Amino acid sequence: MIEKERFVPIRIQKNHALLKRIPKNHPKRPDIEYDQTRRLAGYKGERAIDFYLSKLPEKEFLIFHDLRLSNGMYYFQIDTLLLSTSFALVLEVKNYGGTLYFDPDFNQLIQTNNKGETKGYPNPIEQASQQSSELKKWFQKRNFAIPVEFLIIISKPSTILKTAPGYSKMLQKVQHAQFLLRSIEKRKGSYKNEAMTPKDLKKITRMIIKEHIPETFDILKYYGIPPDDIQTGVICKVCSSYPMKRHFGIWYCTKCQSKDKDAHVHALKDLFLLNKNSPLTNQEICRFLHLPSGDIAKKLLTSMQLPYCGSKKGRIYFPPPGYQQIKELE
């Protein structure tokens, strides 16, 4: 049973909003596009294992995607967590292609692509091992003692895996996605005794969901992009030009003549994503949507039922609940 679904990561959503609203020749654009390509590939790899996870018995395993928990000062993140009454399994998914060599001497992963180019990465075995250790501590602090294991899942079946002779840790912990179910069955056989009761499992599930802290990220600050570089206005979803004009309650594109009643919804989402999800004033929203008056903005915001606090000129608006929980980019 899926207890926490997989959604498009917030960093990808922020990159997407930013790329829509900076000029094509912006000096930071290549960096953002590179980061976005890499992250989209990772997200595609994570989604690739969902087919196999869907075959697990619903009553035996709880599935949590994209967790971010804390043991104190620092956070640790988990791609996918499988939880049963007997054991927990952390899945770290990699969407690497070509040939992967797990080097035990220098504790790194070396990728050789189809062009013969090589690139080094931190050893994902160490990364997942650390995540598992942090999760075990997290359980222990809440008085739950449950075995925690991990697997590195390579989502592309064509990827070739290599390592030095005798590196048994790699052989035990790294595998292609199509062998995931077999590995889970093997671990079920190793953990026949229950470490938690079904009641405990429900309790820890509530704790995980409650203590998951979504990432907050100031995308403009990270890339060093001044707010004035952001192109404002409502974007036409037909031809991608902007700003659209608002006439008689309808957004109108002066380039392709298309009309859209709710085009402002997507523009406001961009604004919240680029504004670090912080609350916005009526004036800020007016300026971004190119609206002539605060009254029009207020009517739009009221129709969207955005959460707010304050009154009159002191009112501020918050992002709608769950607006980041999307399965596909718009």
Side-chain angles (χ1 to χ4, degrees):
M1 178 184 297
I2 298 177
E3 295 290 343
K4 185 177 181 299
E5 292 192 66
R6 189 192 308 284
F7 297 108
V8 177
I10 184 61
R11 180 68 176 270
I12 290 178
Q13 294 187 51
K14 286 176 177 283
N15 277 344
H16 183 63
L18 185 55
L19 287 170
K20 286 192 294 181
R21 293 188 174 276
I22 58 173
K24 298 296 183 183
N25 62 348
H26 195 283
K28 296 290 184 178
R29 192 174 190 89
D31 294 338
I32 305 167
E33 289 177 339
Y34 173 79
D35 184 64
Q36 186 73 332
T37 299
R38 182 174 62 87
R39 291 179 183 277
L40 284 171
Y43 178 60
K44 180 180 179 182
E46 292 172 11
R47 291 183 60 180
I49 71 166
D50 291 345
F51 168 76
Y52 302 100
L53 295 178
S54 68
K55 296 181 178 294
L56 288 173
E58 283 197 5
K59 295 183 179 180
E60 292 186 28
F61 290 95
L62 302 181
I63 303 173
F64 304 82
H65 294 300
D66 304 318
L67 285 177
R68 186 170 180 263
L69 302 170
S70 174
N71 271 328
M73 292 181 62
Y74 304 103
Y75 291 95
F76 61 98
Q77 295 182 255
I78 295 174
D79 286 348
T80 296
L81 170 66
L82 304 184
L83 189 59
S84 72
T85 55
S86 302
F87 69 99
L89 180 61
V90 172
L91 302 180
E92 177 70 20
V93 184
K94 298 298 182 184
N95 193 32
Y96 297 148
T99 299
L100 302 181
Y101 178 74
F102 290 79
D103 185 350
D105 296 324
F106 293 96
N107 199 23
Q108 65 177 337
L109 172 65
I110 301 172
Q111 178 192 33
T112 304
N113 64 22
N114 296 329
K115 297 179 181 180
E117 301 167 334
T118 60
K119 187 174 183 179
Y121 299 93
N123 191 341
I125 295 177
E126 297 303 318
Q127 178 186 359
S129 177
Q130 182 63 31
Q131 292 168 344
S132 300
S133 296
E134 291 297 325
L135 180 62
K136 192 170 184 178
K137 292 177 188 176
W138 190 90
F139 283 140
Q140 290 171 344
K141 286 181 179 180
R142 288 148 187 84
N143 299 316
F144 290 98
I146 183 170
V148 179
E149 290 209 29
F150 69 87
L151 284 173
I152 310 299
I153 304 299
I154 307 301
S155 60
K156 289 185 177 180
S158 60
T159 302
I160 299 171
L161 306 179
K162 293 184 177 182
T163 190
Y167 190 23
S168 59
K169 194 173 184 180
M170 179 267 177
L171 300 176
Q172 295 168 1
K173 298 296 185 180
V174 183
Q175 61 187 232
H176 285 104
Q178 61 264 37
F179 303 116
L180 174 58
L181 295 179
R182 188 174 69 183
S183 290
I184 294 173
E185 285 296 320
K186 183 178 178 180
R187 280 157 178 78
K188 280 173 58 179
S190 300
Y191 297 106
K192 294 181 179 180
N193 297 325
E194 287 192 343
M196 294 190 297
T197 65
K199 184 177 179 181
D200 290 334
L201 195 58
K202 290 181 180 179
K203 183 177 180 181
I204 198 66
T205 295
R206 290 194 297 269
M207 289 182 177
I208 291 173
I209 297 299
K210 182 180 179 181
E211 297 190 34
H212 163 72
I213 305 295
E215 184 180 19
T216 57
F217 189 80
D218 190 335
I219 194 76
L220 298 185
K221 183 178 180 181
Y222 177 82
Y223 286 113
I225 297 177
D228 289 345
D229 287 2
I230 299 300
Q231 296 175 320
T232 59
V234 174
I235 299 175
C236 174
K237 66 180 181 182
V238 176
C239 69
S240 299
S241 64
Y242 54 93
M244 296 182 80
K245 304 292 184 181
R246 189 165 178 84
H247 296 294
F248 303 107
I250 298 290
W251 293 99
Y252 174 75
C253 178
T254 56
K255 185 174 183 180
C256 71
Q257 286 76 54
S258 63
K259 298 178 181 180
D260 192 332
K261 184 179 179 181
D262 300 315
H264 59 279
V265 174
H266 301 296
L268 275 176
K269 181 177 179 180
D270 289 346
L271 180 55
F272 279 119
L273 287 168
L274 298 176
N275 199 50
K276 201 183 173 183
N277 308 329
S278 300
L280 299 168
T281 65
N282 184 298
Q283 186 179 13
E284 289 172 323
I285 292 169
C286 268
R287 184 165 59 248
F288 192 80
L289 299 182
H290 293 198
L291 291 172
S293 75
D295 289 338
I296 297 176
K298 185 177 179 181
K299 288 180 180 179
L300 289 177
L301 298 172
T302 300
S303 68
M304 291 178 62
Q305 298 182 331
L306 287 187
Y308 66 86
C309 69
S311 59
K312 297 183 179 180
K313 292 185 178 181
R315 177 171 293 183
I316 55 175
Y317 295 88
F318 298 89
Y323 84 105
Q324 297 174 351
Q325 296 177 355
I326 61 172
K327 297 292 183 70
E328 301 286 348
L329 291 175
E330 298 167 346

